[in-house]
Structure formats: structure tokens, C-alpha cells
Amino acid sequence: MRRLSLTLLSASLMLAIGTANAATQTTIPAAAVKTAEQLRDKAMNDNTAYEIVTSLTTEVGPRLAGGPADVRGREWAIAKFKALGFDKVYTEQVTYPLWERRSEHAEIVAPFPQPLDLIALGYSAGTPKGGLTAEVVRFDSLDALKKAAPASVKGKIVYVDAHMERHKDGHDYAIGSGVRVGGPVIAAKMGAAAFLLRSAGTDANSRTPHTGVTGFENPKDAIPAAALSNPDADQLTRILGYGKPVSVKLDLDCGFNGTYTGANVIGEVTGKKHPEQVVAIGGHLDSWDPGTGAIDDGAGVAIAMAAGKLIHDMPQRPDRTIRVIAFANEEMGLWGGRAYADKHAAEVAKFQLGTESDFGARKVWLMSASVKPEARGAIEQIAKVLAPIGVDYDATKPGGGGSDLSQMHGKGMAALTLVQDGTDYFDYHHTANDTLDKIDPKELAQNAAVYAAFSYMAAQADGDFGSKPGAFKNDGAEE
Ligand SMILES: [Zn+2]
């Protein structure tokens, strides 16, 4: 009897759980799937994203955070959101250390005097007036530098000569950015006079150095730090190969200069049913200064703005709000993304789903997601709509939300990762060659189609994707 009643009880319990499960599964209504397919097909032939990135890179140009074009970039974004018809346009302040680049020169003094092409790195200190001349000590990896005796680098110019190869997912950037961010800090702690690296780039034959940020957080810890173009790195390495002491003169005029307050610029298409619930997409408005920031990250801003505009132009508003965020100062350490996440952490449960585009302008080829188990089916529905335009779905990988929105994901926002083809991204990334001609309008339109379709489906879903404080803590996505 006892056993029987337990069996009956567990059977009825399972039935109850089964019913509850069906009721709590997040799904996207068939009508919304159909509309998303139409939106996708329209977006594939729409030029809005390309027009936006053309406007930004032409009318504003390079957009170093806190530089003279920072305010012009913000004004451009506000005006563009308004011109596109977004329902609500506003800004949220972001304060960060101001770093300025004024000039940079370098030359090999001995044994074979000649000029070197390089570029100072973000948060680099300047050299003393008149420059700094010291002997160069080379390491072929960051690990080799870490193992060096501090006495061997004290007062010298540390040079880390690590190579990057092209890959579709750009994974060698972990090597290059690791050297660029971590190397200067390690060298400074060991008493080095300055730091040089082979550019974190895959353009082996271009005499164009790649800038980017270092890990210096405190101006008083910073030493001069710069990137050599790949051919200049080859040359320096060849000269070191003669086995004679090699001395280099660096003349960098750059450095910290107080703080600056910029802003994230935000445009919304207001949801008609749940206006307080948002699908968050975006890109970052700032860029490095040598190029015009077309692939990094004018493209991302344009993709997200165009996706919002395509949804805005539909006969009816979506159920939830589409929020497009043009982030401030991503480049020097996710300042816009961190400020955004700090400000909005308490409302994380209202973020339906989000992701940012910040890996160039080539086609999206892979999607992954961090969502609650009950929303996997809805992600599969999204994947089905994206498959015909070349997007695979990897159900085993997490979704990280992209660069700035990784910070909201860290607070518990359900997130996608939409991976673009990054094979040639690091040829141009953070260089003077990051210009509009690197963008193929058709490939950019595919990105806008992906963002429009997924955003619309997420906005129309019956149910949520599991955003709540602290969710997805251990999903393996990078923050
Ligand atoms: Zn970027």
C-alpha cells in the first residue's frame, strides 16, 4: 500500500512537473517567426547599415575616447538615432582617465642607425623631453619575459616579439593582446625603461603598426610602451641577431591628462506590450585614432542601429523594447560597458536577451547562447531563422554578449555570441588601415539581418531567457 501510494504520488508529481515545464518553456509564436523571416530577407537587401557606417567614418572620422572627436561622435549618434526615427534617444555619462597621443618617433641608434615605424599604446607614459635611449632586450613570448631575472631588464627597453597567425575566429589575438596588455606592466615592475612589442596583428608585410591599450591603471606605474609594425619588428629582430648590443631611441609625447566625461548614446524602439523589458544590442562608438574606426567599431554601431531601424519601420511596434547602445570608450578598457552594467545591474531581469557586435564587418557564421534551459527551444527557433543566411548554431558553447555587453552578461543578462568571420580582421584592427573600404556592404547587410531577426524574435517571445541577478556565473564566457 505504502509503496503503491508513493508510486501514485510520484506519478502525479511528475505529471504536474511535466505540465509546469510545458508552461514555462519559452517559445516564439509562429507568426513572429514568419515576420522575422521577412525582416531577415528585407535586411539582406537593405543598405542602411552601410549608409550609417559611411556617415560615421566620413563625417566624424577617427574617434579616440576623450579626444577632440569624442563629442562630435556623440552628437553624430544622437542626431543619427533621431533621423532614423527611434522613439527615445538619450545619453548616460561615462567618466574615465583621459589619455592623449601627441607624437611618436623612434630610431635604432646602434649598431645600424635607422628609423623605426611604431605607435604608442594606450596609457603609455611619454618619454622624457628629448627622448630616451637604451639597450634592447628581446623575448619571444610573454612567458619568457615573466621568467627573466629583473636585473637583466632593469633600465633597458624590453621587446616582446610574439607572432599572430590568421584564423577565422581570430583566436591568436589572445597572444597579441596578452603581450600588449600584460607585457608593459610586467616590464615596468621589473624596472624596464620602456616596452616594445611586435604589433598584435596578422598583416605580416604591412608597415603599419597596431595600437591598443596596455594594462597600466595608475599613471605613476606607466612606462613608455609602443608597438612596432611587423616589418619593423622583423628588422629589429634581424639586427639583434648580429649579437651586438642594440640601442634604440624612443621619443613618445603622450600620457594621462586628468579625467574625461563622455557618454553612452542610446536609442530605443519602444515595446508596445512590455516597454520596460528590453532586447539590448550595440557597438562601441569610440575607435583608435590612426584609422577611421570602420571595422572597429563603426560597423558594430551601424549593424545595431540598422537592426533597430528595420524593426522600427515595421507596421507595429514589437512587444518588448529594442535598445541600441553606442558605447563610450570600449578601447581603453570597456569603460562604457562597465559604467552601463554598474548603473543597470539591479534591472538585469528586465533584459530579455542581448549582444554587441565588435569583431568587424564580415558575415556572422556562428551563434551560441547562454540562456536558461527552458529557453533553449526558443534559441533553436532563432537558429533556424538564421541558418539560411549562413549562421551555424553551437549549442555547446556559451554566449558572452560581446565586448561591452559582456559586463551586463556578467551581472546575469541572458546573452548570445554572434561570431563574424575574423580571418582578416587583425590585418587592419587598431591601425591606420581600419577604413571604410574594408567593409563589404553585402556582408554588413547580413549582419544587420542577423541582428534584426534575433532581436525581433526575442522581443516577441512568450517567456524570458533567464536573465536574473547572478545568472550564468559559471557559463565559461569571458567577461
Ligand atoms: Zn572594438
Side-chain angles (χ1 to χ4, degrees):
M1 275 302 283
R2 196 180 158 82
R3 180 166 294 169
L4 180 66
S5 64
L6 263 179
T7 310
L8 277 172
L9 182 69
S10 60
S12 61
L13 204 66
M14 279 171 70
L15 196 71
I17 290 167
T19 313
N21 262 346
T24 53
Q25 292 291 324
T26 297
T27 54
I28 296 156
V33 173
K34 199 167 174 221
T35 306
E37 287 167 347
Q38 291 163 353
L39 195 57
R40 173 199 67 198
D41 296 343
K42 184 182 175 206
M44 288 294 283
N45 294 302
D46 184 275
N47 210 34
T48 305
Y50 190 69
E51 285 165 10
I52 293 169
V53 72
T54 302
S55 166
L56 175 60
T57 57
T58 307
E59 296 158 28
V60 185
R63 303 172 299 284
L64 187 69
D70 191 294
V71 66
R72 286 199 293 123
R74 263 177 282 149
E75 283 164 359
W76 173 91
I78 293 165
K80 189 61 71 181
F81 274 129
K82 287 183 177 166
L84 293 169
F86 278 70
D87 300 322
K88 197 175 159 193
V89 182
Y90 58 101
T91 60
E92 294 178 350
Q93 287 193 347
V94 181
T95 298
Y96 49 83
L98 177 62
W99 181 82
E100 294 175 332
R101 180 200 310 284
R102 292 174 286 268
S103 68
E104 52 234 330
H105 299 280
E107 61 194 271
I108 294 171
V109 177
F112 310 131
Q114 56 192 286
L116 286 170
D117 266 11
L118 52 54
I119 189 163
L121 301 174
Y123 296 159
S124 166
T127 53
K129 247 197 162 35
L132 171 164
T133 302
E135 191 181 331
V136 174
V137 51
R138 176 185 172 275
F139 299 92
D140 59 11
S141 69
L142 195 59
D143 278 344
L145 170 62
K146 284 177 188 166
K147 286 180 193 143
S152 68
V153 306
K154 196 167 174 16
K156 295 185 178 163
I157 297 173
V158 164
Y159 163 46
V160 179
D161 184 10
H163 289 253
M164 280 173 61
E165 302 293 335
R166 290 191 184 105
H167 297 285
K168 194 174 182 182
D169 67 359
H171 67 255
D172 266 9
Y173 187 53
I175 300 171
S177 66
V179 172
R180 194 194 65 223
V181 174
V185 177
I186 294 165
K189 279 191 183 138
M190 294 167 95
F195 180 88
L196 292 175
L197 81 154
R198 174 185 290 276
S199 276
T202 49
D203 53 332
N205 57 4
S206 161
R207 211 169 173 190
T208 310
H210 298 237
T211 189
V213 79
T214 64
F216 293 129
E217 285 174 359
N218 192 327
K220 73 175 176 42
D221 297 332
I223 57 172
L228 295 163
S229 84
N230 273 299
D232 287 84
D234 292 341
Q235 182 80 328
L236 181 57
T237 297
R238 246 189 325 269
I239 293 173
L240 284 158
Y242 282 75
K244 299 175 186 168
V246 175
S247 57
V248 162
K249 181 182 177 188
L250 291 177
D251 194 349
L252 309 181
D253 183 6
C254 60
F256 287 94
N257 188 9
T259 58
Y260 181 87
T261 297
N264 294 327
V265 184
I266 300 155
E268 293 185 355
V269 178
T270 307
K272 67 175 190 302
K273 213 168 173 182
H274 307 291
E276 77 292 354
Q277 295 177 20
V278 300
V279 176
I281 54 177
H284 65 84
L285 194 51
D286 68 307
S287 76
W288 284 104
D289 44 341
T292 60
I295 60 168
D296 187 13
D297 185 30
V301 169
I303 289 161
M305 274 188 174
K309 162 75 171 164
L310 281 152
I311 295 171
H312 166 274
D313 287 353
M314 294 170 58
Q316 287 200 329
R317 287 288 179 269
D319 284 352
R320 295 179 180 81
T321 292
I322 308 295
R323 179 176 294 169
V324 177
I325 309 161
F327 286 99
N329 198 355
E330 184 274 347
E331 292 294 0
M332 289 190 236
L334 304 179
W335 289 95
R338 288 189 285 136
Y340 189 85
D342 287 345
K343 186 176 168 72
H344 298 282
E347 318 145 33
V348 70
K350 290 180 182 160
F351 284 70
Q352 176 78 341
L353 189 62
T355 197
E356 176 177 0
S357 171
D358 186 18
F359 192 48
R362 297 242 179 255
K363 283 182 183 171
V364 176
W365 62 279
L366 188 66
M367 177 178 85
S368 57
S370 282
V371 298
K372 66 179 183 181
E374 297 86 345
R376 268 297 146 189
I379 294 295
E380 280 160 20
Q381 288 182 287
I382 291 172
K384 262 190 197 145
V385 171
L386 301 185
I389 54 172
V391 184
D392 288 337
Y393 169 48
D394 186 341
T396 67
K397 283 190 178 148
S403 48
D404 296 283
L405 280 171
S406 69
Q407 302 302 298
M408 255 336 259
H409 179 56
K411 303 287 186 192
M413 180 187 77
L416 298 182
T417 288
L418 294 165
V419 190
Q420 291 149 297
D421 184 336
T423 306
D424 66 355
Y425 183 62
F426 293 107
D427 286 10
Y428 313 121
H429 179 253
H430 297 181
T431 73
N433 284 325
D434 178 359
T435 44
L436 184 65
D437 51 286
K438 309 308 179 301
I439 297 180
D440 176 327
K442 283 279 171 204
E443 294 200 41
L444 193 68
Q446 186 261 11
N447 280 268
V450 168
Y451 276 75
F454 106 72
S455 297
Y456 181 74
M457 291 174 82
Q460 300 308 106
D462 283 334
D464 66 276
F465 290 81
S467 298
K468 64 176 179 187
F472 317 113
K473 266 276 175 250
N474 301 307
D475 67 353
E478 285 176 44
E479 272 170 37

